């Protein structure tokens, strides 16, 4: 199957038009026409080799929503014309303890990413969603509720699930005081989900212009973090803090904001190690944890939750020729709140 998209050829290159072949449908495969693909900061980290060596040519994109065009003979869970979503991985070993629990993102043998990796055959480079079509094993795709506006759905496939999963795991609920650091693609989904789950939500942001948006999204409080010393006044006020920042951060200043048994969950992946002050952990039996996207069953649960609560991402829909600019604006924290590429413009 011919695919038209955008690729980078090395870590310093800009995006250019790129045509490539996708595999013919296997019996359990679904082919889809891509309606929208979100731009995640992980795409930028990988295109620019901020996490170590990448594979090129690279077609990034792991927030994919589209319409089923064709199905293989063994596919029973999708039919032609249905809405379909694909996220950060396209396969996993299917047999390890974590895969059997529907936690494919923690596959003991390594999940297969949507791009910047070899497929499970060990030969073909996986190509992501910055293009017009996709082929996916039906077991690794999800259904999209009919009532949700499609452009705003694309970011749910990474940004959405990446915040929904830790909020559920650490039990966000009424009475819980949740902090979200960084109001970007991930962070703004964290605000919407934490609010829908009934928690008291505080946004920590280094951008003064985002306050009114944060409150509109459902945040109860907005704290500007330009002067990190001022955070001291919020010491021991939070049960759960989710750090979605794509850059390095003084993690100790935030650990001190946790109450007894509070947890700070690391979600942002700047690629450099944190320095953690042991005293900040010991003092109130605090935990420093991490969380990675979510498995297929939880992705479906999240999308159903969004359907029920009418939750989508706030997006700026762009044409494919705007992606290079969109990368610069994302790095400058200047996006409200996720760029989404219109699949018809490839
Ligand atoms: P994004 O849209 O660029 O948002 C990141 C936010 O971090 C910015 O909007 C900004 O929020 C804040 N920020 C950026 N630079 C900062 C700085 N120098 N100092 C303080 N705050 C800064 O990125 P994203 O797509 O949400 O992704 C965020 C991070 O999560 C990335 O590192 C990405 O790779 C990672 N990620 C992890 C997972 C996972 O499974 N754990 C999944 C997807 C992505 P304010 O303007 O409000 O301060
Ligand atoms: Zn992502
Ligand atoms: Zn596995």
């Amino acid at each position: 199957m011919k695919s038209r998209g955008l690729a980078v050829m090395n870590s310093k290159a800009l995006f250019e038009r790129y045509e490539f072949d996708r595999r013919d449908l296997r019996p359990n495969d679904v082919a889809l026409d891509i309606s929208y693909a979100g731009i995640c900061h992980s795409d930028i980290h990988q295109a620019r080799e901020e996490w170590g060596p990448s594979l090129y040519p690279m077609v990034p994109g792991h927030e994919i929503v589209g319409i089923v065009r064709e199905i293989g003979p063994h596919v029973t869970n999708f039919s032609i014309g249905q809405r379909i979503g694909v996220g950060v991985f396209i396969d996993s070993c299917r047999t390890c303890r974590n895969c059997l629990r529907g936690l494919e993102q923690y596959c003991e043998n390594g999940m297969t990413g949507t791009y910047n990796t070899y497929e499970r055959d060990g030969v073909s480079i996986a190509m992501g969603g910055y293009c017009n079509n996709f082929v996916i094993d039906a077991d690794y795709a999800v259904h999209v509720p009919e009532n949700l506006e499609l452009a705003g759905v694309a970011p749910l496939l990474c940004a959405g699930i990446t915040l929904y999963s830790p909020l559920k795991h650490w039990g966000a609920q009424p009475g819980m005081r949740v902090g979200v650091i960084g109001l970007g693609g991930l962070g703004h989904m964290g605000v919407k989900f934490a609010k829908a789950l009934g928690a008291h939500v505080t946004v920590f942001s280094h951008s003064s212009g985002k306050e009114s948006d944060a409150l509109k999204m459902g945040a109860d409080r907005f704290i500007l973090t330009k002067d990190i010393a001022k955070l001291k006044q919020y010491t021991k006020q939070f049960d759960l803090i989710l750090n979605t920042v794509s850059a390095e951060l003084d993690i100790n200043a935030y650990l001190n904001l946790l109450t007894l048994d509070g947890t700070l969950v690391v979600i942002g992946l700047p690629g450099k190690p944190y320095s953690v002050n042991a005293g900040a952990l010991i003092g109130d039996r605090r935990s420093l944890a991490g969380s990675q996207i979510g498995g297929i069953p939880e992705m479906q649960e999240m999308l159903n939750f969004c359907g029920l609560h009418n939750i989508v991402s706030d997006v700026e829909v762009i044409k494919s020729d705007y992606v290079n600019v969109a990368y610069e604006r994302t790095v400058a924290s200047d996006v409200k709140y996720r760029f989404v590429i219109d699949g018809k413009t490839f």
Side-chain angles (χ1 to χ4, degrees):
M1 193 168 102
K2 292 278 174 217
S3 197
R4 276 193 321 278
L6 288 178
V8 277
M9 300 301 165
N10 62 63
S11 64
K12 303 273 180 285
L14 292 176
F15 279 96
E16 56 186 79
R17 303 267 154 210
Y18 184 63
E19 297 202 355
F20 57 100
D21 287 315
R22 292 202 179 275
R23 66 171 184 252
D24 291 329
L25 256 60
R26 296 175 189 151
N28 203 45
D29 276 350
V30 174
L32 54 132
D33 291 319
I34 295 179
S35 307
Y36 298 98
I39 295 181
C40 176
H41 210 117
S42 301
D43 301 344
I44 303 175
H45 290 312
Q46 292 175 87
R48 298 182 173 179
E49 290 195 316
E50 290 168 357
W51 291 346
S54 290
L55 286 176
Y56 300 99
M58 183 193 296
V59 178
H62 59 208
E63 296 186 333
I64 303 167
V65 69
I67 305 292
V68 175
R69 186 214 294 177
E70 200 183 336
I71 57 172
H74 293 179
V75 174
T76 53
N77 56 341
F78 284 99
S79 51
I80 293 169
Q82 277 185 334
R83 299 167 147 215
I84 183 171
V86 177
V88 177
F89 55 91
I90 53 171
D91 210 341
S92 65
C93 83
R94 304 168 189 235
T95 56
C96 74
R97 283 172 301 184
N98 295 344
C99 281
L100 293 175
R101 289 172 64 199
L103 297 170
E104 301 89 350
Q105 76 275 33
Y106 301 119
C107 174
E108 290 175 345
N109 299 302
M111 65 175 187
T112 305
T114 306
Y115 66 87
N116 191 25
T117 187
Y118 288 101
E119 297 207 15
R120 289 200 104 67
D121 63 10
V123 181
S124 357
I125 299 180
M127 296 292 181
Y130 292 8
C131 61
N132 63 334
N133 57 29
F134 205 81
V135 175
I136 179 80
D137 185 298
D139 296 340
Y140 287 79
V142 286
H143 289 274
V144 175
E146 285 297 326
N147 61 316
L148 299 177
E149 186 256 324
L150 267 190
V153 168
L156 301 178
L157 278 309
C158 174
I161 185 62
T162 300
L163 274 290
Y164 181 85
S165 186
L167 284 165
K168 293 292 285 194
H169 183 80
W170 276 279
Q173 58 182 295
M176 196 178 209
R177 295 156 303 170
V178 174
V180 176
I181 317 177
L183 195 70
L186 267 60
H188 91 290
M189 291 313 307
V191 172
K192 292 185 183 208
F193 285 134
K195 192 67 196 172
L197 292 165
H200 184 275
V201 190
T202 300
V203 169
F204 296 96
S205 169
H206 82 313
S207 306
S208 51
K210 294 183 179 176
E211 177 163 7
S212 63
D213 287 345
L215 300 179
K216 263 187 249 153
M217 286 170 199
D220 299 286
R221 188 163 55 160
F222 181 89
I223 296 175
L224 193 59
T225 58
K226 283 243 162 76
D227 181 359
I228 208 91
K230 288 200 177 142
L231 288 181
K232 276 212 175 79
Q233 61 186 296
Y234 306 104
T235 297
K236 303 192 190 195
Q237 287 192 12
F238 292 86
D239 304 298
L240 178 67
I241 298 179
L242 307 173
N243 173 24
T244 74
V245 172
S246 51
E248 287 156 74
L249 199 71
D250 176 4
I251 202 100
N252 299 300
Y254 291 94
L255 281 171
N256 285 321
L257 308 191
L258 293 171
T259 184
L260 181 68
D261 289 330
T263 304
L264 191 153
V265 185
V266 174
I267 296 168
L269 251 171
K272 297 229 174 86
Y274 286 117
S275 160
V276 176
N277 176 358
L281 285 176
I282 291 168
D284 277 278
R285 199 164 58 190
R286 296 168 175 135
S287 300
L288 178 60
S291 186
Q292 177 169 273
I293 43 176
I296 294 293
E298 197 171 41
M299 279 168 70
Q300 192 60 66
E301 177 189 311
M302 179 271 307
L303 282 167
N304 296 347
F305 182 89
C306 288
L308 213 58
H309 295 266
N310 222 351
I311 293 174
V312 287
S313 172
D314 292 5
V315 295
E316 291 190 44
V317 177
I318 59 169
K319 294 182 181 159
S320 59
D321 60 10
Y322 191 74
V323 170
N324 288 312
V325 181
Y327 267 40
E328 294 311 321
R329 284 188 51 197
T330 302
V331 171
S333 306
D334 174 27
V335 47
K336 294 193 168 174
Y337 277 84
R338 194 56 134 195
F339 286 115
V340 159
I341 313 166
D342 183 344
K344 289 192 297 295
T345 64
F346 286 108

